[in-house]
Amino acid sequence: MAAQRSSAPSAAPDLPALGGRRSSYRERVADALRAALIAGELRPGEVYSAPTLAARFGVSATPVREAMLDLAKEGLVDTVPNKGFRVTEVSEKQLDEYTHIRSLVEIPTVVRLATTADPVSLEALRPAAREIVTAAAAGDLIAYVEADIRFHLGLLALAGNAHLVEVVGDLRKRSRLYGLDALVRAGRLEDSAREHLELLDALLERDERAVHAVMTRHLGHVRGMWAAP
């Protein structure tokens, strides 16, 4: 399996727009930082300066500083005077709470989609599901995270509740997936990735029981496999 994406600076046009939304440049810089946080490339407790991060992502320091202030408002980082920003640590208790809330919200919502979602809209998510599998096979954590967020938030959006999508998006940011790189080393990331295709197939077959089983197993990975620092 290939190594995860290099930390060398990337060109500005490659900055991700997590969830597939149209974003301002500042928001895209923030998304790139969020993706690095989720993939564990920016580590809890570590302090990063805006110029250092700017060099890493191939952008100027100003949008990075502004984006990090946005992340500070979300509780993802803390400002450290005259030094930069420290990535906040998430306790085991917090991770359990975030996962519990997600299970209460996401599982029943997705199960209902088995009977309410338009098959064409569901099938439109298949390219993102395949991107997740491709990224997993390559060990590309940032691409995995980008496609994973696009898939899951796109799926939840089919329920027609924008506030639900916002809440789950926030929970995903806050829980982060510190141990995602460990899945790559253990060779287990592809199994988790393929569950997205399995979920789509169950939804298209209108099999509520199978959808519930896949969603329960999939969310279980967040705590069981991805959350450990």
Side-chain angles (χ1 to χ4, degrees), residues 15 31 33 39 41 48 52 54 72 80 88 91 116 131 136 154 157 167 169 175 177 184 191 207 213 225:
L15 291 175
D31 278 347
L33 293 168
E41 292 189 2
Y48 298 90
T52 298
V80 181
T88 57
S91 70
T116 62
E131 285 180 44
V167 167
S175 60
L177 305 178
V184 177
D191 290 337
D207 189 338
M225 301 199 309

Side-chain angles (χ1 to χ4, degrees), residues 12-91:
D14 291 333
L15 291 175
L18 298 186
R21 67 180 187 275
R22 290 184 176 274
S23 309
S24 68
Y25 187 69
R26 171 175 171 169
E27 289 171 332
R28 291 178 66 200
V29 172
D31 278 347
L33 293 168
R34 286 190 190 96
L37 279 167
I38 293 169
E41 292 189 2
L42 301 181
R43 304 301 298 176
E46 295 290 325
V47 176
Y48 298 90
S49 70
T52 298
L53 291 172
R56 176 173 183 163
F57 289 100
V59 298
S60 64
T62 298
V64 169
R65 193 173 291 108
E66 293 173 342
M68 290 299 274
L69 290 172
D70 290 339
L71 268 57
K73 293 177 183 176
E74 298 172 10
L76 300 181
V77 299
D78 296 316
T79 57
V80 181
N82 303 317
K83 291 186 177 181
F85 301 87
R86 179 184 291 111
V87 178
T88 57
E89 299 193 55
V90 182
S91 70

